[in-house]
């Protein structure tokens, strides 16, 4: 594998290809900063450019846009509580409180460094385990995916910083919102109050409303008309020794989770970041610090979404199965260049396959080099008077949401979800589980129904297949541990009451 990786490096280090790699990651970062635009819009707009480039160069540029947007998405999440990409929604939970505590520089540094390490781990997994992970992914059928989603939804109940019952209720609300639109199997409309909802509720509308518009509504009445005085020095950006020691294991766990979920078709960086955050909160000795600006809670999902962005190319290139909509566009770009992705791609197009993988290594280094010096510049965004900043943000959100599906209804829904998110925060309901339920709900329905059709309605299939049985066991253990921890906490509170 090392020889093939060196072959890929020799391809990437050609001056013109290196230039397009830089262009890709730079555009990706800018797109990630803009709320609601996303990598899928940028790649869609630049897809015609691939007609004039060879397959290797165009793939390296488009891939750079994809994982570059993961870096950029964290910037708006930390500074303005506006997730630039779906995978950076979790970043708002810890990054924005750090920004409110005048530690935005530190949060941006930790996010950039964690993203870099996660990206490097993802590249290492690609190089060393592309073939074995492909074989494991091929063993995932409908029962395995259904149980994996249930495990993710149960873990989502642990994301909220308050009551687990409230978090579970928010997961159920997210699943209900995900059911709006045409049924994937029968085509029947469900909960469609108007024709514009036939295609369902847009993820961009939901995320921008719950996390962006709601924050603007909440802060508009309480903030001063000018930004807080900031004086960011390099010593304010670098974490202390104690903080740096606390980040090692979270970054490692997040990178591992991201590498695993990225290699599974149909999951992607957004799910990986949510799972990494939930897992980190469960492993933490101080779970009450989550949601208040806890650095491990920021580092874990940031490393996870970038690792997943790298390993997401495993099923895309080796199986021809897109992990998400962005991967589907990249497959389309390959087909436009006359190349069919699949198991033969590694053999028939070694320069393209290993050139793309090596470009991840080079691209992540480029992103780190341009991110660290720009941290002070990004932090200066907070000096802009809020009375001028909020209208601009609202316009950017509306433009981004409208450009996603060219739908005015999506813009109206975004504003409505903003009001809903404002009310949820006032009554201590966490919005993050809503988004995860929205993403995973349709995936659960689709795979559960497929499993029932394939195996004649036999529920025992979920415990007779090895991988599915392991996931069922993990779900049962998670429920048992949550019940036990709640029981212990209640007994402790009763004993401590005078």
């Amino acid at each position: 594998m090392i020889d093939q990786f060196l072959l890929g490096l020799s391809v990437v280090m050609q001056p013109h290809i290196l230039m397009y790699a830089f262009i890709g990651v730079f555009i990706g970062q800018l797109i990630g900063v803009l709320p609601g635009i996303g990598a899928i819009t940028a790649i869609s707009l630049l897809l015609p450019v691939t007609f004039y480039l060879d397959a290797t160069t165009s793939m390296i540029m488009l891939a750079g846009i994809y994982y570059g947007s993961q870096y950029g998405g964290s910037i708006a999440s930390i500074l303005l509580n506006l997730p630039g990409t779906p995978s950076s929604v979790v970043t708002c939970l810890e990054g924005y409180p750090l920004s409110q505590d005048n530690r935005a520089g530190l949060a941006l540094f930790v996010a950039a460094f964690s993203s870099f390490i996660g990206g490097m781990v993802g590249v290492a997994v690609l190089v060393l385990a592309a073939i074995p992970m492909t074989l494991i992914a091929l063993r995932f059928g409908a029962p395995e995916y259904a149980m994996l989603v249930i495990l993710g939804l149960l873990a989502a109940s642990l994301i909220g910083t308050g009551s687990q019952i409230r978090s579970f209720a928010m997961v159920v609300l997210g699943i209900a919102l995900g059911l709006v639109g045409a049924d994937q199997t029968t085509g029947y409309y469900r909960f469609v109050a108007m024709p514009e909802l036939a295609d369902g509720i847009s993820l961009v509308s939901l995320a921008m409303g719950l996390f962006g518009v709601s924050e603007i509504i909440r802060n508009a009445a309480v903030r001063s008309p000018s930004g807080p005085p900031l004086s960011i020095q390099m010593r304010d950006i670098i974490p202390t020794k104690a903080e740096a020691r606390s980040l090692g294991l979270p970054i490692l766990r997040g990178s591992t989770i991201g590498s695993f979920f990225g290699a599974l078709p149909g999951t992607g960086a957004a799910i990986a970041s949510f799972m990494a955050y939930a897992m980190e909160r469960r492993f933490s000795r101080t779970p009450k610090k989550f949601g208040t600006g806890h650095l491990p809670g920021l580092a874990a999902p940031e490393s996870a979404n970038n690792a997943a962005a790298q390993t997401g190319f495993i099923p895309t290139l080796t199986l021809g199965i897109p992990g998400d909509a962005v991967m589907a566009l990249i497959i389309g770009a390959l087909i436009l260049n006359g190349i069919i992705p699949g198991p033969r791609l590694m053999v028939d197009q070694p320069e393209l396959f290993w050139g793309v993988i090596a470009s991840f290594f080079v691209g992540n280094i480029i992103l780190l080099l341009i991110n660290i010096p720009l941290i002070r510049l990004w932090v200066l965004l907070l000096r802009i008077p809020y009375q001028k900043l909020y209208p601009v943000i609202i316009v950017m959100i509306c433009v981004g949401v409208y450009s996603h599906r060219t739908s005015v209804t999506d813009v109206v829904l975004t504003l409505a979800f903003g009001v809903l998110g404002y009310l949820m925060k006032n009554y201590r309901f966490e919005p993050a589980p809503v988004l995860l339920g929205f993403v995973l709900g349709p995936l659960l329905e689709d795979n559960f129904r497929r499993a029932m059709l394939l195996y004649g309605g036999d529920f025992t299939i979920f415990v007779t297949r090895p991988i599915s049985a392991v996931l069922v066991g993990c779900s049962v253990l998670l429920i048992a541990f949550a019940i036990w921890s709640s029981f212990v906490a209640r007994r402790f509170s009763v004993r401590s009451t005078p």
Side-chain angles (χ1 to χ4, degrees), residues 125-126 129-140 263-265 311 313-321 342-343 346 353:
V125 171
L126 272 172
I131 296 176
M133 290 187 71
T134 301
L135 297 176
I136 294 174
L138 284 172
R139 298 185 64 182
F140 267 71
L264 295 177
T311 57
F313 281 82
I314 292 178
T316 301
L317 297 179
T318 60
L319 300 178
I321 301 175
M346 192 182 301
F353 183 87

Side-chain angles (χ1 to χ4, degrees), residues 27-71:
I27 292 176
Q29 184 180 17
L30 291 179
I31 290 298
V33 173
L34 299 175
I37 304 297
I40 187 170
T41 303
I43 292 177
S44 300
L45 293 175
L46 292 176
L47 202 58
V49 177
T50 62
F51 296 147
Y52 306 99
L53 301 174
D54 61 89
T56 302
T57 304
S58 61
M59 279 294 297
I60 288 174
M61 183 183 71
L62 295 180
I65 294 174
Y66 178 50
Y67 61 84
S69 67
Q70 308 300 321
Y71 275 75

Side-chain angles (χ1 to χ4, degrees), residues 2 6 37 87 128 185 344 373 385 398:
I2 302 300
L6 293 176
I37 304 297
S87 61
L128 300 176
T185 303
R344 295 288 307 173
C398 293

Side-chain angles (χ1 to χ4, degrees), residues 137-146 447 450-451 454-455 465 467:
L138 284 172
R139 298 185 64 182
F140 267 71
E144 285 76 17
Y145 276 114
N447 285 284
R450 188 180 303 152
L454 290 174
Y455 298 99
R465 291 169 64 98
I467 298 178

Side-chain angles (χ1 to χ4, degrees), residues 299-464:
E302 277 298 304
S303 58
N305 63 39
N306 280 273
Q310 319 297 322
T311 57
F313 281 82
I314 292 178
T316 301
L317 297 179
T318 60
L319 300 178
I321 301 175
D324 53 26
V326 176
M327 291 294 109
L329 279 177
I330 289 177
I331 287 179
L334 279 174
I335 295 174
L336 288 175
N337 281 275
I339 296 174
I340 305 299
R344 295 288 307 173
L345 182 64
M346 192 182 301
V347 177
D348 297 339
Q349 302 283 341
E351 291 190 356
L352 184 149
F353 183 87
W354 293 106
V356 170
I357 292 177
S359 73
F360 300 158
F361 176 79
V362 176
N364 275 280
I365 293 176
I366 293 174
L367 281 167
L368 185 67
L369 292 178
I370 65 177
N371 261 277
I372 301 301
L374 290 177
I375 285 178
R376 295 181 66 182
L377 176 63
W378 295 124
V379 172
L380 290 178
L381 284 175
L382 296 179
R383 285 190 173 182
I384 301 176
Y386 293 121
Q387 60 184 5
K388 298 180 180 179
L389 188 61
Y390 285 152
V392 174
I393 294 173
I394 289 291
V395 170
M396 289 173 59
I397 290 175
C398 293
V399 170
V401 170
Y402 180 79
S403 66
H404 179 61
R405 297 196 306 190
T406 62
S407 171
V408 177
T409 303
D410 286 348
V411 178
V412 176
L413 285 175
T414 302
L415 301 178
F417 285 130
V419 176
L420 176 63
Y422 170 73
L423 295 175
M424 286 168 55
K425 291 175 182 177
N426 280 352
Y427 290 97
R428 295 180 298 163
F429 285 91
E430 293 292 330
V434 177
L435 197 66
L436 189 58
F438 180 82
V439 172
L440 293 182
L443 191 61
L444 171 61
E445 179 193 15
D446 183 45
N447 285 284
F448 182 79
R449 181 181 291 174
R450 188 180 303 152
M452 292 295 96
L453 290 174
L454 290 174
Y455 298 99
D458 184 10
F459 286 93
T460 61
I461 192 63
F462 296 107
V463 294
T464 54

Side-chain angles (χ1 to χ4, degrees), residues 10 87 134 150 171 192 249 261 274-275 318 382 384 403:
S10 67
S87 61
T134 301
I150 288 177
V171 170
V192 176
L249 289 178
F261 278 94
F274 273 102
M275 291 297 292
T318 60
L382 296 179
I384 301 176
S403 66

